[in-house]
Amino acid sequence: MRPNIGIVNALIRITCGLTMLSWATSKLVKRPWSDRYLIVAMLGGMKVGEGITRFCPLTALFQQYKQNAAQSSTQHQLENKSEPVLPINPT
């Protein structure tokens, strides 16, 4: 795992994650049967973890998709250069 987010982005993720986590745990004290606060707490924990490790799986997935799309477009351009393009005569 190589870091794929910057320092400022990581600090923002840690701050927002800790805010979400503290808000959700304070709400869980009043209503422990509510599942939505538990989900928000888990999402906040994920954001804290992403900030500490400086690795975001969604960013890595998007970067990989962009890289594959660029490779396929260059490969497609190379394939099209070898074939002559004939004009279509609609008549």
Side-chain angles (χ1 to χ4, degrees):
M1 269 187 351
R2 289 187 342 215
N4 61 358
I5 59 173
I7 296 289
V8 175
N9 194 340
L11 291 174
I12 291 171
R13 286 175 192 252
I14 291 171
T15 304
C16 291
L18 288 175
T19 303
M20 289 170 59
L21 194 59
S22 63
W23 177 80
T25 52
S26 68
K27 292 293 184 179
L28 273 172
V29 170
K30 282 186 165 183
R31 298 186 187 123
W33 59 87
S34 181
D35 290 337
R36 64 179 157 184
Y37 299 128
L38 185 61
I39 292 171
V40 171
M42 287 192 291
L43 290 175
M46 273 181 35
K47 289 295 161 195
V48 172
E50 289 173 4
I52 291 172
T53 61
R54 292 184 51 209
F55 179 78
C56 178
L58 290 178
T59 303
L61 185 67
F62 182 69
Q63 288 173 348
Q64 184 179 9
Y65 174 75
K66 276 180 39 178
Q67 184 181 20
N68 288 343
Q71 286 176 354
S72 67
S73 71
T74 56
Q75 184 181 10
H76 184 66
Q77 288 174 353
L78 291 175
E79 289 173 358
N80 285 342
K81 284 185 179 180
S82 63
E83 298 176 7
V85 177
L86 299 175
I88 297 174
N89 189 357
T91 57

